[in-house]
Amino acid sequence: MLNDDVSIRKCVACGKHKSEFELIKVVNNNEQILIDPGVDLPGRGTYICPSQECLEIAREEKSIEKALKTQEPGDIYKKLMEEISNE
Ligand SMILES: [Zn+2]
């Protein structure tokens, strides 16, 4: 079996398709916008590349808010920025 079970997801900012392990998952968990490192939180989810470029695009376009159908992104962009700079 060669990676048949790897899910391909799309980055909400650049639209590129990658395996879900190469992307950061963000979920709307009861109107709390959270990073989901284990990819196991319930709720509507979206994916983004761990890159500053995609984060900037998403922040400008409000891509995460749109994808997660929320008006209140909280500090998710700050959290994502921290997550990315930790890597
Ligand atoms: Zn991207």
Side-chain angles (χ1 to χ4, degrees):
M1 295 280 278
L2 270 172
N3 292 333
D4 275 352
D5 53 350
V6 173
S7 304
I8 301 299
R9 302 286 186 236
K10 193 171 120 177
C11 170
V12 73
C14 67
K16 284 187 188 142
H17 289 85
K18 301 187 177 183
S19 97
E20 63 182 343
F21 304 112
E22 295 176 78
L23 298 165
I24 299 176
K25 189 182 184 198
V26 179
V27 295
N28 182 345
N29 185 252
N30 289 322
E31 293 302 310
Q32 280 236 77
I33 312 304
L34 306 167
I35 294 173
D36 181 6
V39 193
D40 57 3
L41 288 175
R44 180 182 288 273
T46 191
Y47 292 80
I48 187 163
C49 303
S51 84
Q52 201 159 333
E53 212 179 337
C54 285
L55 203 47
E56 299 282 335
I57 297 171
R59 183 150 52 184
E60 248 170 60
E61 308 273 325
K62 300 190 186 300
S63 311
I64 290 178
E65 290 94 312
K66 284 178 199 162
L68 298 181
K69 301 205 182 303
T70 181
Q71 310 291 329
E72 293 294 334
D75 58 357
I76 188 63
Y77 290 107
K78 188 168 162 269
K79 283 188 194 151
L80 282 168
M81 198 57 92
E82 282 166 8
E83 179 83 10
I84 288 167
S85 41
N86 284 341
E87 282 182 8

